[in-house]
Amino acid sequence: MEPLLKVDNLKTEFRTLRGIVTAVDGVSFEVRAGEMFGLVGESGCGKSVTSQSIMRLYDEKKLARHSGLALLDGENLLAASQKRMRQIRGRDVSMIFQDALSALNPVFTIGWQIKEVLRIHQKLGNKESREKAVDMLRLTGIPSPETRVDSYPHELSGGMRQRAMIAMALVCKPKLLIADEPTTALDVTIQAQIMEMIADLKSSLNMGVVLITHDLGVVAQTCSRVVVMYLGQIVEEGDASDIFYHPLHPYTKGLLESSPSIRTKRGAPLHVIQGSVPPLDKAGSGCRFADRCPYADKLCSSVPPMLVNAGATQKVRCRKLGSIESGV
């Protein structure tokens, strides 16, 4: 069975004042219909750039350059015209952005913004599109949708704004949903409600979902497969059970150890990955995690590791894999 989305050797470069910077470097993965797929890593690791490259949201005349493949049902989005991409965005693939208040237009009601999607992609009139907008707001759990449809974004709470954005993303029942930090800045209760709603809609629409997050707890509860990114590259890939119970890359191990659990003793300090994500133009020629890795040697800083198979379902980018597994 062919995957819904197949990304193969995706590379995204930006023209900057410091020259050409590679933000996504050879990323490959697949997402199946009805699957929740996790894309995790620290801020600055290339998760959002990967998703926005697939959606072709950057200025390709002056700013960005893409190569590789991003096949949606066999059609290469990276080779499609901008006219064709405008037909695909919102209808076949939709995106939930990190900050709903910034992403929603402040001068239009949420109902108008949802109806715009229906007018463009389904050619519906005002009455019918309003009815569908109200139904979608009701489906996403917004109370009194007949009234809220006429509210402006600033009149809604953070949780309701996020639900309104989800309603706008899903109103055309897309094949693929990209959820970029969909629960950012929401309290824990609302986070759980939003993720449960996305999971329910995924199942009912048989929709593929790419969940971008740094919250490993959310990934563990919702995703079947996971890709871990660091500085524009995939460092580990596998089934969620493999990633959480048998992590192989030191970066993956560091992320998991940095997260509190019920076994964490009260008052005990959490594990910290030393250092921070460097600027893209300071990535170096070897392993990009070498400066922060407790297992790195001199060769790690000069020899770039390959992403290799490490079992039936797992891949890892690390030349010190044997030493890490043995604890040396």
Side-chain angles (χ1 to χ4, degrees):
M1 181 179 178
E2 287 295 315
L4 172 64
L5 174 70
K6 181 177 181 179
V7 178
D8 185 21
N9 199 29
L10 173 63
K11 189 173 184 177
T12 299
E13 299 174 325
F14 292 104
R15 302 175 184 90
T16 72
L17 296 176
R18 295 174 290 178
I20 301 296
V21 172
T22 303
V24 177
D25 191 1
V27 167
S28 301
F29 60 86
E30 297 180 355
V31 182
R32 305 180 189 95
E35 177 186 28
M36 184 89 79
F37 179 88
L39 198 57
V40 304
E42 293 172 281
S43 297
C45 285
K47 308 183 302 296
S48 295
V49 177
T50 297
S51 65
Q52 292 177 27
S53 297
I54 294 169
M55 295 277 287
R56 302 270 303 280
L57 296 180
Y58 295 113
D59 182 351
E60 296 172 7
K61 292 182 178 179
K62 299 179 180 179
L63 179 64
R65 181 171 61 199
H66 306 298
S67 62
L69 296 173
L71 302 175
L72 182 69
D73 266 350
E75 180 177 3
N76 186 12
L77 302 183
L78 300 185
S81 66
Q82 284 299 328
K83 180 179 179 181
R84 175 62 178 153
M85 286 305 301
R86 285 192 291 271
Q87 295 172 344
I88 292 171
R89 294 190 202 105
R91 185 191 68 185
D92 298 323
V93 54
S94 291
M95 189 168 186
I96 303 171
F97 294 92
Q98 290 188 31
D99 184 1
L101 187 60
S102 299
L104 293 169
N105 194 320
V107 301
F108 293 105
T109 65
I110 59 169
W112 189 96
Q113 295 179 65
I114 296 172
K115 289 190 296 181
E116 182 185 33
V117 180
L118 293 166
R119 288 196 299 268
I120 291 172
H121 293 298
Q122 297 185 4
K123 312 300 181 185
L124 298 183
N126 184 63
K127 182 179 179 181
E128 191 174 0
S129 61
R130 180 184 173 88
E131 290 174 354
K132 282 205 169 187
V134 170
D135 289 342
M136 201 66 205
L137 291 175
R138 183 179 293 110
L139 182 63
T140 56
I142 289 184
S144 305
E146 297 84 359
T147 303
R148 292 297 185 184
V149 73
D150 296 316
S151 298
Y152 289 88
H154 71 272
E155 296 177 311
L156 303 179
S157 67
M160 283 200 287
R161 280 195 296 267
Q162 201 69 20
R163 291 171 187 272
M165 179 177 285
I166 293 171
M168 186 165 58
L170 298 183
V171 70
C172 287
K173 298 182 179 179
K175 302 172 185 176
L176 177 70
L177 174 68
I178 299 175
D180 189 355
E181 301 281 5
T183 57
T184 296
L186 301 179
D187 63 60
V188 175
T189 303
I190 301 300
Q191 283 185 25
Q193 292 174 359
I194 294 292
M195 289 311 305
E196 184 179 0
M197 180 184 64
I198 292 175
D200 289 343
L201 292 170
K202 169 191 71 74
S203 300
S204 62
L205 300 176
N206 194 33
M207 175 178 62
V209 178
V210 178
L211 176 64
I212 300 172
T213 183
H214 56 259
D215 191 330
L216 296 173
V218 171
V219 173
Q221 293 174 1
T222 59
C223 296
S224 58
R225 292 186 303 123
V226 182
V227 155
V228 182
M229 289 189 68
Y230 185 77
L231 210 60
Q233 293 182 334
I234 292 176
V235 296
E236 188 164 355
E237 176 184 352
D239 292 342
S241 58
D242 292 331
I243 297 296
F244 283 93
Y245 294 108
H246 186 53
L248 298 176
H249 197 279
Y251 180 61
T252 309
K253 289 175 176 283
L255 288 177
L256 291 170
E257 291 170 0
S258 300
S259 301
S261 70
I262 58 174
R263 293 184 296 274
T264 303
K265 294 182 179 180
R266 184 174 182 177
L270 291 176
H271 173 79
V272 176
I273 302 176
Q274 297 300 319
S276 59
V277 181
L280 287 167
D281 59 340
K282 305 294 184 184
S285 59
C287 175
R288 300 188 174 187
F289 189 61
D291 290 344
R292 307 175 67 189
C293 180
Y295 301 95
D297 57 22
K298 290 183 179 180
L299 280 178
C300 291
S301 298
S302 57
V303 179
M306 303 298 292
L307 187 67
V308 297
N309 292 323
T313 61
Q314 214 163 350
K315 295 180 180 180
V316 64
R317 188 188 299 273
C318 183
R319 54 177 298 274
K320 299 282 288 183
L321 180 59
S323 299
I324 295 169
E325 289 184 303
S326 62
V328 178

